[in-house]
Amino acid sequence: MNPPLEDLKKTIYKEIKSFISIPSLIRNFIDEENEPSYYHTIIQENSSLIKIVYDKLNVAIENLKDLQKKLTETMGLSYVDFEGFIENNFTKMEDWRYNYDLLRQKRKEIEKLDDVMKIDCFKINLTPFKIFIDDTFEKVFDVLLTGGDYSLIK
């Protein structure tokens, strides 16, 4: 994911902290020495609500991590040497047929994904992911087809 989730979390925490500290920077119109600033008490009085904001952010980040894990599992196909795998493991025509059908099913699942996914307050553009996976699936289809043709010749 770009940017990495930890960097995203750090940036958002920094922005929240900056936003929350605004009242403490404002001085009273009548500056009395022993009186705490009215604006400064806003932070203290709402500290429980501030915790809720951070909790919701943490939940949103966890949801993004779950999506990242799910997408990473799908991207794992791109690291497999399919030619070697097929050569070593496929012995019957059913092997090619089963994997071809499985790949078509996975491709349909990926096509059903929206180009932009909304998770909590984040919008994730899935178009680059979908293009990458589509290219990977195309390469695997080619290997399956050529491997199946070669198997029939043997």
Side-chain angles (χ1 to χ4, degrees):
M1 245 182 218
N2 194 12
L5 289 178
E6 287 305 316
D7 291 349
L8 180 65
K9 185 176 180 179
K10 192 184 308 180
T11 301
I12 294 172
Y13 268 46
K14 182 179 173 185
E15 291 297 320
I16 291 172
K17 182 180 177 185
S18 174
F19 179 75
I20 290 171
S21 67
I22 290 173
S24 67
L25 301 174
I26 301 172
R27 298 188 96 69
N28 289 339
F29 290 109
I30 303 172
D31 194 15
E32 298 178 17
E33 289 183 27
N34 295 332
E35 290 293 318
S37 168
Y38 167 75
Y39 298 104
H40 187 70
T41 60
I42 292 173
I43 297 171
Q44 295 169 347
E45 291 173 1
N46 293 296
S47 62
S48 63
L49 299 175
I50 294 169
K51 182 182 179 326
I52 292 172
V53 169
Y54 280 105
D55 289 344
K56 287 189 178 205
L57 173 62
N58 288 330
V59 168
I61 295 291
E62 287 303 314
N63 291 339
L64 287 175
K65 284 181 182 177
D66 291 343
L67 174 66
Q68 183 179 30
K69 182 179 178 184
K70 179 181 170 188
L71 298 180
T72 302
E73 290 170 359
T74 304
M75 289 178 63
L77 283 175
S78 66
Y79 299 108
V80 175
D81 172 23
F82 282 101
E83 292 172 355
F85 181 79
I86 288 171
E87 188 176 304
N88 294 329
N89 296 298
F90 286 33
T91 56
K92 301 175 281 206
M93 200 58 201
E94 291 81 27
D95 295 334
W96 275 271
R97 189 173 296 119
Y98 171 78
N99 284 285
Y100 184 80
D101 291 341
L102 183 65
L103 202 54
R104 279 184 32 212
Q105 177 187 355
K106 286 287 185 189
R107 193 177 215 173
K108 287 179 184 177
E109 289 175 18
I110 297 296
E111 287 174 0
K112 287 180 184 177
L113 289 175
D114 293 330
D115 289 340
V116 176
M117 184 180 281
K118 187 168 181 358
I119 296 183
D120 298 317
C121 59
F122 299 101
K123 287 185 179 180
I124 297 93
N125 180 6
L126 293 179
T127 304
F129 168 77
K130 290 172 72 172
I131 291 170
F132 175 79
I133 291 299
D134 192 53
D135 288 346
T136 302
F137 283 179
E138 196 62 41
K139 290 174 187 173
V140 175
F141 274 126
D142 291 344
V143 171
L144 281 173
L145 291 176
T146 56
D149 293 344
Y150 178 73
S151 174
L152 288 175
I153 294 170
K154 278 182 160 178

